[in-house]
Structure formats: C-alpha cells, structure tokens
Amino acid sequence: GAVVSQHPSWVICKSGTSVKIECRSLDFQATTMFWYRQFPKQSLMLMATSNEGSKATYEQGVEKDKFLINHASLTLSTLTVTSAHPEDSSFYICSARDYLGGYEQFFGPGTRLTVL
Amino acid sequence: GNSVTQMEGPVTLSEEAFLTINCTYTATGYPSLFWYVQYPGEGLQLLLKATKADDKGSNKGFEATYRKETTSFHLEKGSVQVSDSAVYFCALGGYSTLTFGKGTMLLVSP
C-alpha cells in the first residue's frame, strides 16, 4: 500500500519548451502533495505544497510562474516547468500524504529532467 | 531555521559489519526525526522515526535514538547486508514539512 508513482521517470527537452511531470497516489487519496527538487549530492529542497482543490503554497525563492502546480484530484498532482532552461535540469521528486495515515509522506521515484 | 547535517559518503562496508551514519540537526521547538532510505530506482521510504527526546526508532535491524542534548539522531545497524546498499536520508519535521540532510550512500560488499 501507499504507492506513489511519477511519470515520466526521465525527460529531455529543448530550452524554451514546457515539461509536465505527473505524480499519482495509486492506492490512497492524497489530500496533500509536496514537490521537491534534488541537485546531485544535495538535499531534497521543498519547492511547494499543494492541497487538493487549492492553490499551491510555494517556498521562498521558487518562481510560481515557472513551476506551475496543479492538484485537481485526490490522486493526481502535476508540476509543469514552463519555458525550461538548462539551469532547471534537476531531479524532481513528489510525495503525498493521506490525512488518514497521519503525517507520513510517501515518496515517488523521481523524475530526471535534462534541458538542452 | 531548521537544518540537518549528515556524514558524507559513500560509506563502504563488508557484509556483517557494524554501521553508523551520523546525523545532527538544528531546529526550533521539538521536531520529530526521521530516517528515510532510497534504493536504486525507487522512491524514498520511511525507515524509522522518533517523535520526542530519548525515543528510539527501530526497523529492519536499524535503530536511532533521538538525543536532544547532543542534537543527534545517528543511524546504526549491527550487521549490514548487501541488500542494505542504498542512500539514507536523515530528516526532521512534522505535519507540515520535512527538512532533509544531503543523504549518505551506503555500499555493502559480499
């Protein structure tokens, strides 16, 4: 139980294009989803928190117009990197929390984004 | 603000060796402490947790004790296996957010 998937697992795109990453909770309803970014040999940095049906709350320094987050259902959240540039290349990880399960976060396997 | 510092890896051990991965933290208030493990190609999984000082979290032979006086939450295992090879993340937080350390890679050879 408590499985979170991400799609795609890796993506390569050209500079200036937009990329959408999906995060799904497969066997539970995720009232809250989190998006993290991880640079090589670095910590996971929280980008934003989204609650189903509400606007995402972004961490300081994260451009909300560049990283669009939608959490339209209890099992799906999407992160869209708009007008991607090489500096956006990173490993993006989502997690999901079900209020019935307490505060534990269940993590997806991550998406490797490379912007050429 | 909150921060977590972990020992840098990789940590390379032979099977059945004793494991310690150090983790120290700075935090306001009284956070919960966690160890997550990430196996190759998989997401992070909660390994163990402790919610208050002197609590010991344990799972799969791993254990860690919440030491408020030394602000530490070191991960230990008495006898590692090849299957324990993974990246281990120390984290602190609670209901709203988690703050992670950089992760420590563990490599166990037969």
Side-chain angles (χ1 to χ4, degrees):
Chain A
V3 177
V4 176
S5 69
Q6 280 185 243
H7 178 80
S9 55
W10 59 269
V11 57
I12 300 173
C13 69
K14 293 182 179 180
S15 185
T17 61
S18 295
V19 173
K20 180 184 286 187
I21 302 170
E22 294 185 347
C23 176
R24 293 181 184 274
S25 56
L26 299 185
D27 51 5
F28 67 101
Q29 293 184 326
T31 52
T32 304
M33 287 185 165
F34 303 86
W35 286 95
Y36 296 86
R37 184 172 179 177
Q38 185 181 29
F39 292 101
K41 299 185 180 180
Q42 297 293 319
S43 300
L44 277 73
M45 302 298 295
L46 180 65
M47 299 174 65
T49 302
S50 70
N51 293 298
E52 185 268 336
S54 302
K55 290 184 177 180
T57 301
Y58 290 80
E59 296 299 300
Q60 190 173 8
V62 177
E63 299 176 59
K64 59 182 66 177
D65 293 331
K66 180 166 194 59
F67 299 100
L68 302 179
I69 293 172
N70 183 279
H71 189 170
S73 78
L74 285 172
T75 60
L76 173 65
S77 176
T78 60
L79 167 66
T80 301
V81 183
T82 62
S83 186
H85 288 92
E87 57 265 30
D88 298 324
S89 298
S90 191
F91 194 56
Y92 294 88
I93 301 173
C94 74
S95 71
R97 184 176 68 207
D98 171 10
Y99 76 97
L100 293 177
Y103 54 73
E104 181 177 348
Q105 294 182 29
F106 302 98
F107 286 81
T111 297
R112 173 73 60 190
L113 170 63
T114 301
V115 184
L116 302 177
Chain B
N2 295 342
S3 68
V4 176
T5 303
Q6 285 181 241
M7 61 188 292
E8 289 197 24
V11 173
T12 305
L13 296 173
S14 297
E15 202 164 27
E16 299 183 0
F18 184 86
L19 168 72
T20 299
I21 299 178
N22 290 337
C23 171
T24 57
Y25 67 91
T26 58
T28 55
Y30 304 96
S32 295
L33 299 174
F34 307 84
W35 276 101
Y36 283 85
V37 58
Q38 185 176 31
Y39 299 103
E42 299 183 13
L44 274 71
Q45 302 173 24
L46 179 63
L47 180 60
L48 53 83
K49 64 184 179 186
T51 57
K52 62 182 186 297
D54 299 326
D55 267 3
K56 176 185 285 188
S58 61
N59 185 26
K60 299 180 181 179
F62 292 90
E63 59 182 34
T65 302
Y66 190 162
R67 300 287 188 197
K68 183 182 174 184
E69 64 276 13
T70 55
T71 61
S72 65
F73 193 55
H74 304 322
L75 181 69
E76 297 182 335
K77 186 175 185 181
S79 176
V80 293
Q81 305 300 312
V82 173
S83 57
D84 293 327
S85 297
V87 179
Y88 293 81
F89 292 90
C90 184
L92 68 83
Y95 187 78
S96 57
T97 61
L98 292 171
T99 300
F100 287 89
K102 293 183 178 181
T104 303
M105 178 177 287
L106 170 64
L107 300 172
V108 181
S109 57

